[in-house]
């Protein structure tokens, strides 16, 4: 954490001689160097990119419409036209797999982003100002954590009724900020006592500037690592909620929606090609994200060095 | 230590109060009330009669009076009537299901402990061995696979194709009793139990491995070895006692994870527990049942955390409440 105190000195020279350049790698550059040495994490980045590109460029890989229903083609086994067969509404499973990946990834990403925004904001306020604001925010976090996540989310969904993608993401974010807020607050508490913060304050830096320029950059490691792992969790949460019928409503394809077809015993028994691919897609995506997250953790915090 | 335990219990009381406020607040947000769906909501009924009925049920009372009435009857196990199942109280519905969920939870916790702890210890004693790599790989997979997908695969392979285990329910023949029923129950719990415990097993295996590795690297273990203590004594007398401390605490928190996971797992296996009841009540918007289950789960989690903290202070006297 101390390694970048240098860069926060106001008198840092603009142009360093070539010979000194090596010593002045930013912590982010150092982390990146450590990250690319982790083979598993780098492979995972490529796997994830491949999944993202395939889903984004879905129209290049299939001519089928993921939501068009064809009542003459219900629960068909794979053919040349429908590579993975069709589902109970006669929709093409392969097209749904690709287009569904888009929704699953977007939901996972935006829920992560939204939670991150709330978590960083509340964590910063609680950790920086301390005192009463801190206790209020932390008690609110305790209260949110009292009910199991799924129970809270389902209860809210029962009250609201119809769910859209935006609403879904919002519900996830407002029920799951406490963990991230706690982590960020804890990081800030240790930063608050350090000399460079005192120094910044002494030269008259505003609260906002100290938070943006000193606190967030120093807490960036835990923030990025947790954001990554959160995205993996949210992809699983989306699929789980969709499976029990409380996720993104049909006919929008998501991986969870596709697996939920297997609640029908006929599809479960006779058409594994309909529900296994989306499950494997979730598994591979989540594995890749988790490996990247672990790689990032080791890169940002070389001390953690898990044996 | 006693001082810590007493203070910890004192903290429990306001948290319990906060929980009741949340659950009651959510129930107030929910559309409809105890009269919705009953014959009184019939358009043929004079609105005045409806209003009298509301008055009689106390639905027009100030909110704190309603809260007090709800909380005092809830404390006696009376959560009102179900809106969907006519003539059945919420308490009866829950009574039918709660034992099934507790059995399933305990069964899956038992699987987790029996599998995760020995493998974790082995992994730590023989790091980078074949089994260690296998366990690490299993750990990654176990945390990345959605548990309902794992459950479906288990049904597809072990139940449909191999026919080893039943895929749903709790008993295959109604009315059997005694030992036969016990065996049948266990047989029905194998697949849901493994599915529910999968993520926990993966987590505890990793925790156990890193805890044992930590302790094995400490100075007092080296001292014990230097004294000429045998390997098994080092393991059982020094290592495990210290390595198990954090695991015990985590077990208390595991209650919430298990109960939450039960909602989806029970649905996959159509297991008649609190999870499936909760889900069908959410679908049918049977709010008294939803709130009662939320309340029960919340209390179980609070108690789990309390027990975990107290156990922690007993096994590790260094813990002090500041």
């Amino acid at each position: 954490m101390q390694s970048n105190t240098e860069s926060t000195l106001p008198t840092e020279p603009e142009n360093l001689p070539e010979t000194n350049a090596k010593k002045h790698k930013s912590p982010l550059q150092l982390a990146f160097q450590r990250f690319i040495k982790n083979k598993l994490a780098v492979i995972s980045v490529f796997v994830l990119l491949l999944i993202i590109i395939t889903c984004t460029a879905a129209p290049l890989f299939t001519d089928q419409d993921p939501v068009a229903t064809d009542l003459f083609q219900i629960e068909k086994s794979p053919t040349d036209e429908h590579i993975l067969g069709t589902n109970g509404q006669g929709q093409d499973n392969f097209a749904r797999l690709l287009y569904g990946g888009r929704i699953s990834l977007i939901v996972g990403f935006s829920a992560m982003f939204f939670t991150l925004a709330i978590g960083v904001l509340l964590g910063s306020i609680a950790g920086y100002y301390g005192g009463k604001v801190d206790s209020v925010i932390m008690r609110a976090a305790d209260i949110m954590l009292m009910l199991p996540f799924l129970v809270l989310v389902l209860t809210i969904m029962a009250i609201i009724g119809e769910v859209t993608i935006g609403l879904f993401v919002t519900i996830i974010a407002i029920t799951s900020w406490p963990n991230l807020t706690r982590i960020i607050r804890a990081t800030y508490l240790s930063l608050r006592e350090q000399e460079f913060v005192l120094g910044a304050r002494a030269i008259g830096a505003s609260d906002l500037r100290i938070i943006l320029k000193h606190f967030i950059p120093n807490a960036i490691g835990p923030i990025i690592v947790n954001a990554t792992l959160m995205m993996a969790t949210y992809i699983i949460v989306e699929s789980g909620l969709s499976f029990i019928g409380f996720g993104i409503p049909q006919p929008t394809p998501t991986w969870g929606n596709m697996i939920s077809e297997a609640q029908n015993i006929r599809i479960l028994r006779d058409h594994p090609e309909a529900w296994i691919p989306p499950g494997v897609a979730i598994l591979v995506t989540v594995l890749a994200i988790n490996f990247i997250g672990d790689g990032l953790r080791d890169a940002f915090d070389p001390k953690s060095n898990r044996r | 230590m006693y001082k810590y335990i007493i203070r910890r219990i004192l903290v429990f009381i306001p948290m319990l109060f906060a929980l009741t406020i949340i659950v009651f607040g959510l129930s107030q947000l929910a559309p409809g009330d105890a009269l919705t769906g009953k014959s009184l909501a019939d358009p043929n009924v004079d609105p005045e009669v409806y209003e009298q009925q509301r008055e009689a049920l106390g639905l027009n009372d100030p909110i704190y009076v309603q809260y007090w009435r709800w909380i005092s009857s809830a404390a006696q196990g009376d959560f009102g009537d179900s809106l969907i199942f006519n003539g059945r109280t919420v308490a009866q519905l829950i009574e039918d299901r709660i034992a099934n969920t507790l059995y399933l939870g305990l069964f899956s916790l038992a699987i987790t402990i029996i599998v995760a702890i020995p493998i974790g210890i082995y992994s730590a004693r023989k790091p980078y061995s074949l089994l260690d790599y296998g366990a690490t790989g299993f750990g990654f997979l176990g945390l990345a696979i959605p548990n309902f997908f794992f459950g479906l695969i288990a049904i597809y392979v072990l139940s449909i194709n191999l026919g080893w285990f039943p895929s749903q329910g709790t008993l295959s023949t109604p009315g059997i009793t005694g030992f036969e029923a016990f065996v049948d129950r266990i047989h029905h719990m194998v697949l849901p139990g493994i599915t529910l415990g999968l993520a926990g097993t993966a987590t505890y295996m990793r925790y156990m491995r890193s805890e044992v590795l930590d302790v094995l690297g400490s100075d007092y273990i080296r001292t014990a070895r230097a004294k000429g203590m045998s390997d098994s004594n080092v393991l059982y007398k020094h290592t495990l006692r210290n390595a198990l401390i954090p695991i015990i605490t985590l077990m208390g928190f595991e209650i919430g994870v298990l109960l939450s996971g039960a909602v989806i797992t029970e649905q996959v296996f159509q297991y008649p527990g609190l999870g499936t009841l909760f889900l069908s009540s959410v679908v049918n918007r049977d709010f008294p049942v939803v709130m009662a289950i939320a309340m029960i789960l919340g209390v179980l989690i609070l108690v789990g955390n309390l027990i975990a903290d107290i156990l922690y202070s007993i096994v590790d006297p260094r813990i002090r409440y500041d």
Side-chain angles (χ1 to χ4, degrees):
Chain A
M1 289 298 174
Q2 281 290 350
S3 59
N4 69 339
T5 45
E6 247 174 306
S7 63
T8 61
L9 290 176
T11 53
E12 193 179 9
E14 281 294 304
N15 293 311
L16 293 157
E18 273 296 280
T19 45
N20 273 355
K22 248 189 179 165
K23 288 182 190 165
H24 287 273
K25 276 190 179 131
S26 76
L28 269 179
Q29 283 170 322
L30 285 171
F32 180 73
Q33 277 186 349
R34 282 192 291 265
F35 183 79
I36 54 172
K37 282 191 195 137
N38 186 333
K39 275 185 213 144
L40 204 53
V42 174
I43 294 172
S44 298
V45 170
F46 283 109
V47 171
L48 190 62
L49 280 178
L50 192 71
I51 293 171
I52 293 173
I53 292 169
T54 317
C55 292
T56 315
L60 294 181
F61 298 99
T62 176
D63 301 329
Q64 300 289 333
D65 184 330
V67 287
T69 56
D70 183 350
L71 296 179
F72 294 105
Q73 301 277 337
I74 286 175
E75 291 176 25
K76 284 282 184 295
S77 292
T79 56
D80 284 345
E81 194 189 358
H82 301 290
I83 305 175
L84 293 175
T86 58
N87 70 3
Q89 283 86 46
Q91 296 160 321
D92 181 64
N93 279 329
F94 185 64
R96 287 180 77 74
L97 182 67
L98 297 186
Y99 286 95
R102 285 186 185 179
I103 308 286
S104 293
L105 290 169
I106 289 172
V107 166
F109 184 81
S110 33
M112 176 269 276
F113 196 77
F114 203 176
T115 314
L116 199 62
I118 303 179
V120 169
L121 183 70
L122 291 180
S124 295
I125 294 173
Y128 184 82
Y129 292 104
K132 278 202 181 118
V133 203
D134 180 34
S135 356
V136 170
I137 292 176
M138 289 338 277
R139 287 303 81 72
D142 287 346
I143 290 171
M144 294 296 285
L145 289 173
M146 265 193 299
L147 282 178
F149 174 74
L150 206 59
V151 171
L152 190 59
V153 168
L154 287 176
T155 310
I156 294 176
M157 283 181 171
I159 293 169
I160 291 178
E162 194 65 15
V163 180
T164 60
I165 295 182
L167 210 52
F168 183 84
V169 168
T170 313
I171 295 173
I172 301 280
I174 57 171
T175 47
S176 55
W177 57 269
N179 280 320
L180 189 71
T181 303
R182 281 184 170 179
I183 293 165
I184 291 171
R185 172 181 174 270
T187 322
Y188 279 22
L189 287 184
S190 66
L191 284 172
R192 212 163 55 172
E193 307 303 325
Q194 297 196 13
E195 278 92 357
F196 69 91
V197 176
L198 194 66
R201 220 171 261 152
I203 59 168
S206 68
D207 288 352
L208 187 65
R209 188 185 158 82
I210 294 177
I211 290 177
L212 289 180
K213 292 273 173 184
H214 300 298
F215 277 44
I216 291 182
N218 271 295
I220 199 76
I223 292 176
I224 291 181
V225 170
N226 281 290
T228 317
L229 300 177
M230 245 161 35
M231 183 167 166
T233 312
Y234 291 156
I235 289 177
I236 293 185
V237 166
E238 182 278 314
S239 66
L241 286 171
S242 293
F243 177 75
I244 54 179
F246 283 88
I248 313 296
Q250 295 275 15
T252 311
T254 73
W255 289 337
N257 276 345
M258 293 183 71
I259 303 177
S260 75
E261 299 252 330
Q263 291 201 15
N264 178 336
I265 184 71
R266 271 199 325 278
I267 291 183
L268 178 69
R269 187 184 55 216
D270 302 331
H271 294 284
E273 77 279 353
W275 58 271
I276 289 183
V280 172
I282 294 174
L283 180 62
V284 172
T285 309
V286 170
L287 261 185
I289 297 177
N290 281 345
F291 283 137
I292 295 171
D294 278 1
L296 287 172
R297 176 178 301 153
D298 295 345
F300 277 110
D301 187 8
K303 281 170 292 179
S304 76
N305 198 15
R306 290 167 311 111
R307 288 135 303 201
Chain B
M1 190 179 81
Y2 292 109
K3 214 171 155 190
Y4 171 82
I5 293 175
I6 289 165
R7 292 181 73 168
R8 185 62 189 76
I9 291 172
L10 287 181
V11 174
F12 174 78
I13 294 165
M15 290 187 75
L16 190 63
F17 178 67
L19 177 71
T20 62
I21 297 277
I22 300 176
V23 175
F24 183 73
L26 285 171
S27 75
Q28 291 299 305
L29 289 175
D33 55 41
L35 291 180
T36 316
K38 295 207 174 153
S39 56
L40 278 168
D42 192 314
N44 296 324
V45 173
D46 187 353
E48 226 164 86
V49 178
Y50 186 66
E51 197 50 39
Q52 279 167 10
Q53 201 69 31
R54 283 182 64 84
E55 193 67 43
L57 284 170
L59 294 171
N60 292 335
D61 289 347
I63 195 109
Y64 56 88
V65 176
Q66 293 195 43
Y67 169 76
W68 178 249
R69 196 181 305 127
W70 175 76
I71 192 69
S72 46
S73 47
Q76 295 161 22
D78 175 12
F79 289 96
D81 295 331
S82 159
L83 302 183
I84 303 298
F85 298 94
N86 271 336
R88 300 212 64 190
T89 66
V90 176
Q92 285 171 335
L93 286 173
I94 289 176
E95 210 183 299
D96 291 347
R97 308 290 197 103
I98 195 164
N100 284 339
T101 295
L102 290 180
Y103 293 148
L104 182 62
L106 286 177
F107 185 70
S108 111
L109 198 59
I111 295 178
T112 298
I113 294 172
I114 292 168
V115 175
I117 290 182
I119 294 184
I121 294 171
Y122 184 88
S123 279
R125 293 188 78 194
K126 302 239 162 56
Y128 309 112
S129 62
L130 200 63
L131 193 110
D132 181 31
Y133 277 119
T136 309
F138 167 81
F140 272 114
L141 279 177
L143 288 175
I145 195 165
N147 64 355
F148 63 93
F149 181 58
F150 178 85
L152 289 174
I153 290 181
I155 293 178
Y156 183 68
V157 177
L158 297 175
S159 183
I160 294 179
N161 285 334
L162 295 172
W164 291 354
F165 298 102
S167 68
Q168 52 178 317
T170 50
L171 286 176
S172 33
T173 340
I176 51 172
T177 48
F179 184 69
E180 204 187 347
F182 175 75
V183 172
D184 197 35
R185 253 177 198 285
I186 299 278
H187 194 209
H188 278 80
M189 279 198 292
V190 171
L191 294 187
I194 293 176
T195 306
L196 185 56
L198 184 71
T201 307
T203 316
Y204 286 107
M205 211 148 68
R206 291 175 76 174
Y207 270 125
M208 198 62 206
R209 179 180 186 272
S210 80
E211 284 303 328
V212 173
L213 267 180
D214 263 354
V215 176
L216 282 178
S218 59
D219 289 340
Y220 60 86
I221 295 294
R222 198 173 44 200
T223 311
R225 286 232 169 90
K227 286 193 305 185
M229 201 177 218
S230 72
D231 245 17
S232 65
N233 264 345
V234 169
L235 184 68
Y236 294 112
K237 290 213 168 138
H238 292 281
T239 312
L240 287 190
R241 281 191 191 181
N242 287 296
L244 280 171
I245 291 174
I247 308 289
I248 291 171
T249 318
L250 282 168
M251 291 283 172
F253 299 118
E254 184 70 11
I255 292 179
V257 180
L258 281 179
L259 292 173
S260 216
V263 176
I264 289 181
T265 307
E266 286 181 2
Q267 179 67 17
V268 176
F269 294 95
Q270 289 300 310
Y271 185 87
L274 274 192
T276 37
L277 177 65
F278 181 74
L279 210 58
S280 66
S281 307
V282 168
V283 172
N284 295 324
R285 315 187 113 204
D286 194 352
F287 288 105
V289 182
V290 172
M291 297 308 158
I293 296 179
M295 188 70 206
I296 290 172
L297 296 187
V299 170
L300 284 176
I301 289 172
L302 280 183
V303 171
N305 292 359
L306 179 70
I307 294 174
D309 279 350
I310 291 177
L311 273 181
Y312 202 18
S313 78
I314 293 173
V315 292
D316 191 347
R318 287 168 302 184
I319 306 294
R320 287 290 171 265
Y321 192 91
D322 306 306

